[in-house]
């Protein structure tokens, strides 16, 4: 089976297994606690109902009122500061839900806003993240030079380590700040930062929801917004470094397959073109030459000796052909070639066989580079 | 300024502007309703307080109980079905919050689970999305052939249109299903599907929270899970088609810049390598540099390759006028390099004893080494780019 298909199937199976395992573990961790909580709360409910003699009907109304009042209790959610906070949670896909559009018009606008905003934000964070990675790589190289280290190359491991510690640092800074301002424990604040910066955004912990912070503490509000955006950039940079290459793997394999198919077809074409126009040499000899050169290009690394001798003989035959008339025929051929075939048939056979050879060599080299470097 | 920096700055400014505009519009749409709603609820709660003579303290007690009981009233959240639902909301980053781990152990495991699960899921959805796009492209190609259309190529516009309509219909199918099962209006169900499949996941509307659905309606539960995962795949495929290429733009520009720099330095080195070879080798026209010596080994191989490269560049340069009208975009950028390289060679005409008829060939030998690779490379890059931009 094609490599891409195998890869996709394995990923699907992995994810399903991961979900099953996760579900089992969460069940084990939370179920008991849930049962106990529920019993306690239900008992409390009955007690309070009896204490205040509230009818079932009225209690249901009370429930509704209380649940609907929850966002209002947390503050004014839709003035500019609150709306900005909401807009952030939409386009970054965090989506706490601490405030959600109540009007239908708000819901509709929210959807349109998300359709444009989410791709914009994705691209922006990846772009900025890549810039940050490049800058960090440059800094690290300078530091290595200054420290007088022997190899000043910045390896992938270096970058991943730096990225990982930046993420940890960002989470810890946020945890310290929010545990101070929101009066959460450090662990809960850390959990909040983690859930926010991974854009999961449960909404069980939400900043700026106590003591009317959105309206009364502009500095804290500004800090929260900056923290969320900068934190997402740091996480985005780490993802750009580690994960992004895997997102494009299938497409690159497809492209490489297509190019291989095209170059194979192109070589066949170029051989035909050459054979047709030049009847001086026998066909087998030319085919052999072309194949030789191709193999030369692709095996340049480990056939240099044979290559050298072959190349000399080829050079002889080739240069004898390069006279003005031949040249004009080439130009003429070039005129009518469309861009898609240009790469493979632009130059007559030995040369064109080099270009795909060189090209796939560069391509392979580039791909190798891609896998190894940042 | 470098292209990547300009691009990044522009994106940052765009995003900030977008946030400001969004905030202003949401303010305009929701503020009034919020104050009206708040007043209404205040009045209602006051009414109930008075009816039962509730003090502020007792009311707060009731509040606490009601809010804490909310997830429990929606059903058992942490049995296997509920946990699976929760696990989905974690690794897809939807994160409704309808149920959130209350134990500290649950919170810790949740974080570790997300750390591994989110990248896995991202890669999985993109991988599957790319497969779907390839398959759709293949299908469309066959359909076009069957219909006997003149050009059976599938353009980017075709793919984007199909992708867009797939997304819309996925949302509509979900909206229809959930409006039926959850007794929401079609619009609210559509809004729910949209917020879910974009992984925003507010939690204002959450499926499987009525009538103990998680425990009592296994088929509906299965449908919901399958819908969420399939819907995310369809959206992922559309994102893979339209957005992913933009996420790698900076990195590719960096890579291309690095390659250009490498080629330019190699060009400088190769010219100096070549000169001694030509001087030492026999002046036979055909042998070129160092072929006979064999002692050069790899360096000779490299020199030979560069020979062919320079030949290619000479041909390229000569045929520029012809090409100019077929591929106007490529010429100015790439041939500027070859021009300078060829010009370099003209300044040292004495090296090669070739006849005038071969002069271009000869002069180009030493020069334009990088121009071909740049030329070929940029041609390939251009094609790659074209392919990238226009194909899937």
């Amino acid at each position: 089976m094609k490599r891409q298909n195998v890869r996709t199937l394995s990923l699907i199976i992995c994810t399903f297994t991961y979900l099953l395992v996760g579900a089992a573990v969460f069940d084990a961790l939370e179920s008991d606690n849930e049962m106990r909580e529920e019993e306690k709360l239900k008992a409390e409910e009955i007690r309070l109902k009896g204490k205040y003699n509230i009818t079932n009907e009225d209690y249901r109304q009370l429930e509704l009122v209380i649940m609907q009042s929850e966002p209002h209790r947390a503050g004014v959610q839709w003035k500019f500061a609150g709306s900005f906070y909401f807009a952030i949670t939409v386009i970054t896909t965090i989506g706490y839900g601490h405030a959600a559009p109540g009007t239908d018009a708000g819901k509709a606008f929210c959807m349109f806003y998300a359709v444009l905003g989410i791709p914009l934000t994705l691209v922006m964070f990846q772009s900025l993240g890549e810039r940050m990675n490049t800058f960090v790589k440059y800094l690290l190289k300078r530091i290595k030079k200054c420290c007088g280290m022997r190899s000043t190359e910045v390896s992938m491991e270096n970058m991943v380590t730096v990225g990982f510690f930046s993420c940890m640092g960002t989470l810890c800074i946020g945890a310290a700040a929010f545990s101070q301002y929101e009066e959460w424990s450090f662990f809960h604040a850390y959990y909040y930062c983690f859930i926010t910066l991974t854009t999961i955004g449960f909404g069980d912990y939400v900043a700026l929801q106590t003591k009317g912070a959105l309206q009364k503490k502009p500095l804290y509000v500004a800090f929260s917004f900056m923290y969320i955006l900068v934190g997402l950039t740091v996480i985005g940079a780490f993802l750009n470094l580690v994960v992004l290459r895997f997102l494009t793997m299938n497409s690159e394999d497809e492209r490489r397959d297509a190019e291989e198919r095209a170059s194979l077809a192109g070589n066949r074409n170029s051989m035909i073109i050459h054979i047709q126009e030049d009847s001086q040499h026998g066909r087998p000899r030319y085919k052999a030459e072309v194949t030789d050169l191709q193999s030369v290009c692709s095996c340049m690394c480990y056939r240099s000796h044979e290559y050298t001798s072959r190349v000399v003989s080829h050079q002889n035959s080739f240069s004898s052909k390069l006279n003005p008339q031949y040249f004009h025929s080439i130009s003429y051929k070039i005129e009518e070639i469309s861009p898609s075939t240009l790469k493979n048939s632009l130059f007559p056979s030995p040369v064109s066989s080099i270009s795909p050879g060189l090209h796939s060599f560069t391509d392979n080299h580039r791909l190798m580079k891609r896998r190894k470097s940042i | 300024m470098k292209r990547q920096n300009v691009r990044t700055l522009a994106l940052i400014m765009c995003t900030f502007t977008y946030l400001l505009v969004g905030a202003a519009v949401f303010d305009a749409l929701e503020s009034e309703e919020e104050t009206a709603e708040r007043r209404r609820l205040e009045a209602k709660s006051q009414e109930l307080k008075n009816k039962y003579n509730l003090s502020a303290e007792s009311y707060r007690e009731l509040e606490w109980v009601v809010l804490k009981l909310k997830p429990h009233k929606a059903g058992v959240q942490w049995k296997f079905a509920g946990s699976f639902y929760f696990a989905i909301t974690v690794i897809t980053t939807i994160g409704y919050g309808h149920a959130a781990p209350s134990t500290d152990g649950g919170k810790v495991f949740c974080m570790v689970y997300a750390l591994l699960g989110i990248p896995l899921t991202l890669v999985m959805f993109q991988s599957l999305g790319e497969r779907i796009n390839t398959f759709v492209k293949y299908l469309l190609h066959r359909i076009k052939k069957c219909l006997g259309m003149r050009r059976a190529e599938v353009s980017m516009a075709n793919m984007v249109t199909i992708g867009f309509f797939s997304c819309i219909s996925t949302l509509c199918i979900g909206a229809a299903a959930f409006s039926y099962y959850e007794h929401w209006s079609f619009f609210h169900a559509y809004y729910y599907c949209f917020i879910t499949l974009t992984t925003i996941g507010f939690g204002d509307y959450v499926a499987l929270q009525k009538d103990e659905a998680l425990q009592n309606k296994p088929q509906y539960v299965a449908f919901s899970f399958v819908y969420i995962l399939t819907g995310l795949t369809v959206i992922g495929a559309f994102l893979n088609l339209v957005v992913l290429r933009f996420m790698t733009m900076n990195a590719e520009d960096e890579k291309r810049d690095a390659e250009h720099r490498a080629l330019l330095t190699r060009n400088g080195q190769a010219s100096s390598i070549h000169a001694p070879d030509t001087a030492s080798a026999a002046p036979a026209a055909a042998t070129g540099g160092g072929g006979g010596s064999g002692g050069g080994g790899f360096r000779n191989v490299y020199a030979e390759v560069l020979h062919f490269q320079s030949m290619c560049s000479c041909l390229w340069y000569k045929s520029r006028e012809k090409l100019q009208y077929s591929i106007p975009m490529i010429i100015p950028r790439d041939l500027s390099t070859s021009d300078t390289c060829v010009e370099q060679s003209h300044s040292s005409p004495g090296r090669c004893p070739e006849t005038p008829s071969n002069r271009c060939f000869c002069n180009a030998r030493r020069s334009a080494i990088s121009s071909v690779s740049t030329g070929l490379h940029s041609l390939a890059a251009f094609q790659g780019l074209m392919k990238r931009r226009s194909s899937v």
Side-chain angles (χ1 to χ4, degrees), chain B residues 56-372:
Chain B
E57 183 68 44
S58 2
Y59 192 74
R60 227 167 314 170
E61 256 185 329
L62 280 162
E63 259 179 12
W64 183 85
V65 170
V66 167
L67 289 172
K68 277 286 178 171
L69 262 175
K70 185 179 173 193
H72 298 277
K73 288 267 161 85
V76 180
Q77 300 293 349
W78 292 105
K79 278 271 179 327
F80 192 79
S83 287
F84 197 88
Y85 196 24
F86 178 76
I88 291 180
T89 67
V90 171
I91 64 173
T92 55
T93 76
I94 295 175
Y96 290 126
H98 68 291
S102 35
T103 61
D104 279 357
K107 289 180 164 91
V108 170
F109 178 71
C110 181
M111 289 193 273
V112 175
Y113 191 69
L115 203 60
L116 293 171
I118 291 171
L120 169 66
T121 311
L122 279 175
V123 175
M124 192 271 284
F125 278 129
Q126 285 305 305
S127 187
L128 190 52
E130 186 278 338
R131 289 285 86 200
I132 288 176
N133 284 335
T134 310
F135 179 65
V136 165
K137 189 177 183 194
Y138 166 76
L139 266 187
L140 206 60
H141 185 71
R142 291 290 293 264
I143 290 172
K144 280 193 166 186
K145 260 198 189 151
C146 276
L147 289 178
M149 295 179 82
R150 231 173 310 139
R151 292 179 315 132
E153 270 99 42
V154 182
S155 69
M156 181 67 164
N158 291 143
M159 290 299 296
V160 172
T161 318
I162 292 183
F164 179 73
F165 281 112
S166 317
C167 292
I168 297 287
S169 38
T170 306
L171 290 171
C172 289
I173 291 172
F178 288 113
S179 73
Y180 173 73
Y181 282 114
E182 299 281 337
H183 310 295
W184 295 328
S185 74
F186 184 84
F187 176 69
H188 289 164
Y190 189 93
Y191 170 74
Y192 163 74
C193 293
F194 183 94
I195 295 297
T196 300
L197 297 188
T198 48
T199 76
I200 298 175
F202 286 133
D204 51 351
Y205 292 87
V206 186
L208 304 172
Q209 299 291 289
K210 287 207 175 106
D211 309 326
E212 298 272 328
L214 277 166
Q215 310 303 319
N216 297 341
K217 298 184 194 168
Q219 276 165 334
Y220 175 44
V221 168
F223 165 79
S224 299
F225 294 168
V226 169
Y227 175 77
I228 291 176
L229 296 171
T230 318
L232 285 169
T233 307
V234 172
I235 306 284
F238 190 64
L239 281 180
N240 182 291
L241 185 65
V242 177
V243 181
L244 194 61
R245 63 199 64 213
F246 297 109
M247 308 215 300
T248 48
M249 263 169 127
N250 266 9
E252 284 178 1
D253 281 348
E254 276 294 304
K255 208 175 292 161
R256 216 180 316 149
D257 290 348
E259 276 170 2
H260 273 295
R261 285 194 297 269
L263 280 168
L264 288 171
T265 45
R266 218 194 317 153
N267 182 22
Q269 285 173 7
S271 305
S272 51
I273 289 174
H274 195 87
D277 281 342
T278 329
S280 59
T287 45
S293 57
F298 218 115
R299 208 184 59 184
N300 290 333
V301 167
Y302 190 65
E304 288 312 316
V305 173
L306 296 175
H307 266 150
F308 283 109
Q309 277 184 319
S310 61
M311 280 191 277
C312 301
S313 77
C314 172
L315 291 170
W316 177 275
Y317 175 65
K318 279 287 176 178
S319 57
R320 179 172 62 155
E321 290 101 32
K322 305 280 184 182
L323 273 174
Q324 210 156 15
Y325 304 103
S326 55
I327 319 173
M329 283 159 68
I330 304 181
I331 305 303
R333 191 159 66 96
D334 306 343
L335 287 183
S336 57
T337 342
S338 73
D339 277 350
T340 34
C341 291
V342 170
E343 266 154 25
Q344 273 174 25
S345 73
H346 284 308
S347 61
S348 50
R351 298 212 186 191
C352 189
E354 253 76 68
T355 58
S357 62
N358 284 10
R359 188 167 59 193
C360 157
F361 171 71
C362 162
N363 286 335
R365 235 184 225 209
R366 250 169 314 293
S367 63
I369 289 156
S370 68
S371 67
V372 166

Side-chain angles (χ1 to χ4, degrees), chain A residues 239-337:
Chain A
L239 281 180
N240 183 292
L241 186 65
V242 177
V243 181
L244 194 62
R245 65 198 63 214
F246 297 109
L247 299 188
T248 48
M249 263 172 128
N250 267 10
S251 307
E252 282 176 12
D253 281 348
E254 275 294 304
R255 200 175 306 141
R256 210 178 334 142
D257 289 348
E259 279 173 2
E260 275 174 20
R261 284 196 298 271
S263 66
L264 284 173
N267 283 330
R268 250 178 276 128
N269 284 341
S270 62
M271 278 196 319
I272 294 167
I273 289 169
H274 194 83
I275 287 164
Q276 278 172 354
E277 74 174 2
D278 208 320
S279 51
Q280 295 172 1
H281 304 265
R283 271 180 212 193
R285 188 168 154 212
Y286 262 99
K287 268 198 184 146
E289 283 179 6
V290 169
T291 340
D292 273 341
L293 277 164
Q294 246 197 328
S295 64
V296 150
C297 297
S298 55
C299 306
M300 214 151 63
C301 303
Y302 49 90
R303 276 217 229 163
S304 50
H305 220 56
E306 299 157 83
Y307 171 83
T308 314
S309 49
R310 279 209 188 94
V311 157
V312 175
S313 59
H314 292 153
Q315 188 111 32
N316 280 327
S317 53
F318 188 86
S319 59
S320 63
K321 285 191 307 293
L322 242 127
N323 48 58
Q325 290 117 328
Y326 189 73
F327 193 72
H328 285 309
S329 66
I330 294 170
S331 313
Y332 168 74
K333 246 203 323 282
I334 289 168
E335 222 175 53
E336 51 186 7
I337 292 173

